[in-house]
Amino acid sequence: MNKYLLKYIAFCFIVMLLGSCNDSESDLLEPKVYFENKEYVIEVTDAEAMTHDLQARVSSLYSSSVEVFYEVADPSIVAAYNKKYGTEYETFEASNVKLGSGSSVVPDGQVYAEQVSLQFSNLKSIEEGKSYLLPVRIKSASLPIIEGRDIVYFVVTKPVRIMKVAKVYSNYIKVPLVPGTLFSSITYEALINVDWFGNNNTVMGCEGKLIFRIGDTPLVAANHLQIAGNKEFSVSQGLEEQKWYHVAFSYDQPTGKAVIYINGEKASEATWDTPNFDLTANAGGFFIGKVAGFMWGERPFYGQMSEVRLWNISRTENQIKQNMITVDPKSEGLAAYYKLNGTDQFQDGDTWKVKDASGHGMDGLVNGGRSALNIIDLDEPVTIK
């Protein structure tokens, strides 16, 4: 082929490429409509109704006004959201939502649309601890809409107020796991508030197999969370005294992923290849608060506890974060659940026990059955910050 013809073809290709780049740049610079925030949390109090502002925007200034139309999205959006993020939100009923207006305008020379009121009603019917999701969509606009930013999610929740907790000073609960019970994937969870750190403070688990504890000096600082047993790892951040935390550990056997969470956030992780865990009495027993009768020291916890849970599945980060203060007792994979609020403590004859809120009959033996847990009243509800 003639070398001049080759140069001509190459020149034409470059011109076409530059033209394509200019088109892409022009497309990126074109003003588009979207929601600036993806999610809002509406915490319900005792009010019957609450109002929140809804506001779309354009990505850049436009030479004329822009009209935007809104609608409450279909409930299938909630199902898709739960599947994508591993959450368990229920759909907030559209009949309990009223848009002040179905449309708003972005004035000429501005980027924010006029605010539209979104009223939530019938809120007194919401149960404590339940969370609902309401998706609101930009239905249409006089400019293009940014795909994926056309929906804003409102999380409507009524927080549980925990005002009674167990004061665990060398007290303990023994979980009656049935001999032969094996855990492949597993999750531990608890709300804790430490009064003071010792050399080794037991949160929960089976010593030597899979124990969730705080400190193991000199190897682990006295205020650092650690999971230990057949394998172990710890976190690098320390806990503070007289402060509430939600702490969790999860192990997913199929992926080998082991994670320690603090307040719903990953604090440390590792990769394991453990086939299963025997946490029954045959392996030493599963304890909460201290390891009673352990030959090298019982390693008691000194502080307050609430919402202690054992799962036979690996809970996701979003599931843990969404359910720190409470969880549905009927949740899949919940093996044992101790609320430790005083109402779940009872005597079976002369034996003290704490009821398993999951309904699986795993009522815990308190202090060997000899004495009750010390339940205290709080001046303000448990808050995770």
Side-chain angles (χ1 to χ4, degrees), residues 151-366:
I151 298 178
V152 62
Y153 298 92
F154 291 89
V155 179
V156 184
T157 181
K158 190 171 188 177
V160 171
R161 290 170 55 86
I162 299 176
M163 298 298 298
K164 291 179 179 289
V165 297
K167 186 172 183 179
V168 185
Y169 268 58
S170 205
N171 288 178
Y172 70 94
I173 300 168
K174 186 172 184 180
V175 179
L177 293 174
V178 178
T181 302
L182 295 177
F183 291 80
S184 49
S185 295
I186 194 168
T187 303
Y188 293 169
E189 287 186 90
L191 290 171
I192 63 170
N193 187 322
V194 182
D195 285 340
W196 58 278
F197 298 100
N199 173 47
N200 193 315
N201 301 121
T202 299
V203 179
M204 60 195 295
C206 180
E207 183 63 53
K209 297 293 183 179
L210 192 67
I211 192 82
F212 199 22
R213 62 193 184 193
I214 308 170
D216 187 19
T217 56
L219 300 177
V220 178
N223 65 339
H224 286 205
L225 278 168
Q226 179 194 41
I227 193 77
N230 294 334
K231 296 185 178 183
E232 60 186 58
F233 65 101
S234 59
V235 304
S236 59
Q237 65 191 88
L239 304 180
E240 299 177 23
E241 294 178 350
Q242 282 85 51
K243 181 177 179 179
W244 280 103
Y245 293 94
H246 178 275
V247 296
F249 163 77
S250 71
Y251 172 64
D252 181 55
Q253 188 193 65
T255 63
K257 185 178 178 182
V259 185
I260 295 175
Y261 297 91
I262 299 177
N263 295 345
E265 304 289 341
K266 286 183 185 179
S268 187
E269 59 185 316
T271 301
W272 290 356
D273 57 358
T274 306
N276 52 55
F277 299 95
D278 180 0
L279 309 176
T280 67
N282 294 334
F286 192 101
F287 292 89
I288 299 166
K290 78 173 183 180
V291 187
F294 186 56
M295 66 182 75
W296 294 318
E298 295 185 317
R299 303 170 176 179
F301 179 93
Y302 296 100
Q304 292 79 50
M305 280 193 186
S306 181
E307 292 288 316
V308 180
R309 308 165 199 155
L310 169 64
W311 304 77
N312 57 25
I313 59 173
S314 173
R315 296 277 280 177
T316 68
E317 182 174 355
N318 281 330
Q319 287 172 331
I320 289 171
K321 187 178 297 185
Q322 185 184 339
N323 298 280
M324 290 190 290
I325 297 296
T326 190
V327 74
D328 185 348
K330 297 182 177 62
S331 297
E332 178 187 357
L334 186 56
Y337 181 15
Y338 308 106
K339 298 187 76 64
L340 305 188
N341 59 10
T343 64
D344 54 352
Q345 197 165 205
F346 67 99
Q347 277 187 290
D348 182 5
D350 294 329
T351 303
W352 280 100
K353 294 183 177 181
V354 61
K355 189 166 186 62
D356 170 21
S358 76
H360 294 141
M362 304 285 286
D363 296 342
L365 186 66
V366 180

Side-chain angles (χ1 to χ4, degrees), residues 369-385:
R370 296 180 298 274
S371 61
L373 289 171
N374 182 17
I375 304 298
I376 62 172
D377 293 301
L378 302 177
D379 295 330
E380 56 185 40
V382 173
T383 302
I384 303 299
K385 298 178 181 179

